[in-house]
Amino acid sequence: MTRASLDKQPHEVAAMFDDVAAKYDLTNDVLSLGQARLWRKAVAQAVAARPAERVLDLAAGTATSSQPFVAAGAYVVPCDFSIGMLREGKKRHPHMPFTAGDATRLPFADASFDAVTISFGLRNVQDTDTAFAELLRVTKPGGRVVVCEFSHPTWQPFRTVYTEYLMRALPPIATAVSSNPDAYVYLAESIRSWPDQPALAALMQKAGWSKVAWRNLTGGVVALHRAVRP
């Protein structure tokens, strides 16, 4: 399996990420034109991890996204359903408690974490509603969630250019820098089919999250959604 279909069968998506694990972080930096690092910084600021807090970093991959929370003194659990990603991450960060898990069936007790976050992984989950309910379940009352995901540019001319980039420029670039360019064709298609900012916020509210808000990054290419468990 080299490429997942948009009905998001978990074993297909996991296998696809297994294939790209070794070069995943480098490829993301190239394809995002360097913006990925700025997006990670925005996530870290939004999560605002504090010493001794427990933070769940879901779809953590190799745990590059987890490092700012570690630096803040939090206890961080990187979780992903791609075993290949977890193995690559364990090589780089051998002391971190990498955990295999599906966002729709998290292997954690109720109210386990002060903060939960998922970056660029939610659209790869088979059932978004169930994932939001699971994130709510494992978060302590008063705890927070931060979702960083590709979204819809707010300025129409830019949205057109961005869509053209995704479907035309991204595949040849991915061919040059990735071991599995087909995986990035899937990723481009999944971005185009993803809900816009208000629609995603509505799904969070439906799952029981309160104080849902979002802000756009890079003109809406990415949106940062935040909420609190009542």
Side-chain angles (χ1 to χ4, degrees):
M1 176 58 62
T2 58
R3 176 180 171 194
S5 57
L6 286 181
D7 62 1
K8 300 172 187 172
Q9 295 301 312
H11 67 281
E12 293 181 354
V13 180
M16 183 190 73
F17 279 103
D18 290 347
D19 284 347
V20 299
K23 294 184 178 180
Y24 185 71
D25 293 324
L26 171 63
T27 305
N28 283 350
D29 278 341
V30 172
L31 294 179
S32 70
L33 307 179
Q35 293 295 299
R37 298 185 185 195
L38 299 177
W39 298 334
R40 283 197 294 271
K41 185 178 294 186
V43 170
Q45 292 171 345
V47 172
R50 295 185 287 273
E53 281 193 326
R54 292 177 60 87
V55 176
L56 172 62
D57 188 9
L58 191 57
T62 60
T64 298
S65 58
S66 304
Q67 299 316 302
F69 314 134
V70 174
Y75 176 79
V76 187
V77 178
C79 182
D80 203 289
F81 69 174
S82 165
I83 301 302
M85 284 286 192
L86 295 174
R87 286 175 177 159
E88 184 66 27
K90 197 68 175 176
K91 292 178 187 176
R92 303 179 190 183
H93 310 288
H95 301 299
M96 295 197 72
F98 285 89
T99 303
D102 187 320
T104 62
R105 298 184 303 276
L106 291 172
F108 307 108
D110 295 355
S112 296
F113 297 97
D114 298 285
V116 296
T117 183
I118 179 168
S119 293
F120 308 111
L122 189 62
R123 75 183 187 284
N124 299 319
V125 175
Q126 188 175 33
D127 187 335
T128 306
D129 290 337
T130 300
F132 275 137
E134 273 290 89
L135 288 172
L136 187 78
R137 180 185 66 78
V138 302
T139 304
K140 297 177 182 178
R144 56 211 186 271
V145 65
V146 174
V147 177
C148 184
E149 189 52 87
F150 289 108
S151 196
H152 293 238
T154 54
W155 188 44
Q156 182 59 50
F158 177 57
R159 186 182 308 167
T160 302
V161 171
Y162 173 64
T163 302
E164 288 294 308
Y165 169 72
L166 282 178
M167 299 314 299
R168 295 191 180 187
L170 189 148
I173 295 174
T175 299
V177 299
S178 172
S179 58
N180 183 2
D182 279 348
Y184 289 89
V185 176
Y186 156 80
L187 291 174
E189 292 170 348
S190 71
I191 290 168
R192 290 207 308 176
S193 64
W194 187 244
D196 65 11
Q197 293 88 326
L200 190 63
L203 291 179
M204 297 176 77
Q205 291 172 327
K206 178 184 174 184
W209 291 97
S210 67
K211 300 181 181 177
V212 178
W214 76 84
R215 73 182 180 100
N216 293 312
L217 305 176
T218 317
V221 168
V222 166
L224 207 60
H225 283 70
R226 291 170 288 178
V228 173
R229 176 178 176 178

